[in-house]
Amino acid sequence: LAKLAEAGFGALGDLEGLSPAEFAAELQLSLEAATKLMVEIRSGGIGGQPAPVPRSALELLAEERSAGCLATFVPELDALLGGGVPLRMITEFSGVAGVGKTQLAMQLALDARIPAVFNGLAGECIYIDTEGSFMVERAMQIADGIVSHLRYMAQRDECAEQMAAAAAL
């Protein structure tokens, strides 16, 4: 990849009308290596990465619809967003200072980590703070609240299972 960039090859169109021998000379590769690389590039894969599989617009729409949402745990906001913040998309929250945008962003970043056993995403998140408003202490408070809530849910579910088992006897 470095050799390609160094030689000025940045797009597939840069190979137009170029013979394998010319390509080999440009990259200072053997003819065999240059031919193999040209085939690999033209087939869409490079460096051992598979070529992307073409998908129709209908397949992309179905994939988008099945991606799901991340709940905000604010019923009105989740309803407004159609079930929560859509995954695999960019959602922008805007408003005047002090309305809770940073708090919501911290909450969502932590909610993304909720384990699957609690119907969470068990995912990962990158929080990018461009204003310096991220407060570690507040994030810890939110995380502690989530952990407490998950413990309560686990205890509630355990009690319900015990009651169901006792009723079955």
Side-chain angles (χ1 to χ4, degrees):
L1 290 174
K3 276 191 169 195
L4 286 169
E6 206 175 278
F9 294 103
L12 186 58
D14 295 340
L15 298 178
E16 283 296 315
L18 200 61
S19 73
E22 293 168 323
F23 189 57
E26 285 279 340
L27 295 179
Q28 299 174 349
L29 295 173
S30 69
L31 182 57
E32 181 183 333
T35 303
K36 182 179 176 187
L37 182 58
M38 277 184 112
V39 168
E40 201 173 347
I41 291 170
R42 287 185 174 145
S43 68
I46 188 160
Q49 297 175 3
V53 176
R55 295 178 289 164
S56 69
L58 185 59
E59 290 170 323
L60 292 172
L61 179 62
E63 183 180 311
E64 180 181 312
R65 287 185 176 162
S66 69
C69 296
L70 175 62
T72 66
F73 296 102
V74 178
E76 297 83 4
L77 183 56
D78 286 340
L80 183 67
L81 294 169
V85 179
L87 299 176
R88 302 176 66 184
M89 299 182 85
I90 294 175
T91 302
E92 179 179 358
F93 292 98
S94 62
V96 296
V99 297
K101 300 178 301 291
T102 299
Q103 300 299 308
L104 178 61
M106 282 193 274
Q107 178 74 48
L108 291 171
L110 293 165
D111 288 348
R113 303 278 299 148
I114 293 176
V117 296
F118 292 103
N119 294 321
L121 300 174
E124 296 178 347
C125 180
I126 296 174
Y127 189 104
I128 301 172
D129 178 11
T130 61
E131 299 176 341
S133 58
F134 184 85
M135 295 181 299
V136 174
E137 297 83 13
R138 180 63 183 135
M140 289 299 295
Q141 290 172 345
I142 294 170
D144 288 342
I146 291 171
V147 169
S148 295
H149 180 70
L150 295 178
R151 282 188 180 134
Y152 166 77
M153 288 175 53
Q155 290 171 350
R156 182 195 65 196
D157 292 349
E158 187 177 312
C159 286
E161 286 175 13
Q162 289 173 356
M163 289 175 64
L169 295 176

